[in-house]
Amino acid sequence: MWGGRKLSSSGSRFLGAHRSAFRGTQADSPRLTTSAAYSKNQLSWTLQIKPSVFSEYRIMCFKSYSMSFACLNRLKSYRLPWTRLYSTSRTTVDSSEVKTFLALAHRWWDEQGEYAPLHSMNDLRVPFIRDNLLKTVADHQPGKPLSGMKILDVGCGGGLLTEPLGRLGASVIGIDPVDENIKTAQRHKSFDPVLDKRIEYRACSLEKIVEETAETFDAVVASEVVEHVIDLETFIQCCCQVLKPGGSLFITTINKTQLSYALGIVFSEQIAGIVPKGTHTWEKFVSPEKLESILESNGLSVQTVAGMLYNPFSGYWHWSENTSLNYAAHALKSSMQEHPSPAEFALKEETEELRIETSTNSGLLWSCSIYLHSGIQAEQQGHCWE
C-alpha cells in the first residue's frame, strides 16, 4: 500500500551493503523490494512495499560503511476499499437499550401510551422525508409519490414510520435488533394486504445487512435511533454504504445541550413520565455540528437541518429554527464514487500521520547522512596523510 517512498542520503559516494530486518518471523513481514540508483554523487534508495495488510510496528534497518541506523515506522492496518468494511461480530447495538425496548414491544401501536410522541412526530417526519425525496425525481405517481423507491428504515420498532412510507408507494425494509418489536410490526402490517406486499421486516442490526445490501437503497431513515447506538461513526458509515450514490439519509435525534438534559431527561422521564425512565442517555445525544462533521467525513453532504419542538400539553410537534432540543437532518450521498488504488486509499486515510512521520524520518535520515558523510571525509583525509 505504500509505493515509491524514497530515503536519500546526500554527500560523497558511500559504499556498503544494506539489509532490512523486521521484528517477528519472516513470514509475517510484508514483501519488500529495493532498488538503488546513482546520480552523480548522490545515492538514492527506493523502497517499494507491495500491497499487503500490515499491523503494529516494523523496524527497517540499513547498514552502510560499517555503521547502521534504524528508522522506526508505524504501519497501520489498511482496508482496501472494495473489501467488506465491517465484521458481523462488530455491532452498534447497545444491549442495555435492547432490554429497555423489549419491555415495551407490545406498546408500539398504543397512540396514547409511551410512544404517543412518535405517533405525533409522523406529522412532521413523513412529509419531511417525502418532500426531500421528491426533489430527486423528475415525476411521480399521484397518490403513490414514492413508488419505485427502496427505503431502509433502521430501528423501525413496531413500524410506526415504516407503514406511512409504504402507503406512499415505497418498498420499505424495516430492521430492528429487538425480535419482539419485529413481531409486533409484522402483526400490525398483516391487517393491510397492500402494506403486506410493500413492507418487509427483519430482526437484525444494520451492520448485519451491510454486505448483502451495499448501494441498494434510495433512502435510509434513522429516526430517533442514533441517540441509542454505541458507535455513532460506524453506524453512519454503514448507512452510507447501503445507500445508492445520490441517495438520501434522514435522521431525527436529540441535541446534546443542557436544555435537552433538563427537558428531555429530567422533565420528560423523571417528572412528567412522557417517556419511560432510562429511555435516553444524555451522553449519547449528538449536536448538529458533530453529526454534520461525521456525515461529511463519510461522503454525505448535509442539505437541511431543522429544529423540532414537542408540546407535551397538546401532544403535537412543530418545526422551529431552534435546534437545541430535537432536530431533523437530511444528507445526500455523493453521486461520484471514486475507487482509488490501494496506495492512494492508504495515503488519503492517513495523510496527516504520514506527513508527521515523513518529517520526523527525514530529519533522522538527514542527520545520519551528514554523520556518514563526515565519517567518510575523515577517513579519506586519513588516507591522504598516509
Side-chain angles (χ1 to χ4, degrees), residues 200-220:
E200 176 188 350
Y201 289 114
R202 300 184 190 179
C204 65
S205 61
L206 174 59
E207 54 272 16
K208 291 286 186 180
I209 65 167
V210 164
E211 186 175 10
E212 63 178 281
T213 60
E215 297 189 350
T216 295
F217 299 99
D218 298 287
V220 174

Side-chain angles (χ1 to χ4, degrees), residues 92 118 121 125 128-129 151-157 161-162 165 172-176 206 219-229 232 235-240 242-243 248-254 286 291 295 300 308 326-331:
T92 60
L118 294 184
M121 186 184 287
R125 58 184 179 176
F128 180 73
I129 295 169
I151 299 176
L152 178 66
D153 185 8
V154 184
C156 64
L161 180 56
T162 317
L165 295 176
V172 190
I173 294 180
I175 62 173
D176 198 284
L206 174 59
V220 174
V221 178
S223 185
E224 306 305 297
V225 172
V226 300
E227 67 269 23
H228 299 290
V229 301
L232 179 57
F235 181 84
I236 296 298
Q237 288 166 359
C238 290
C239 289
C240 181
V242 299
L243 271 177
S248 292
L249 173 61
F250 297 95
I251 292 175
T252 67
T253 189
I254 309 174
V286 58
L291 180 61
L295 291 170
L300 292 155
M308 304 166 66
N326 295 70
Y327 64 94
H330 170 224

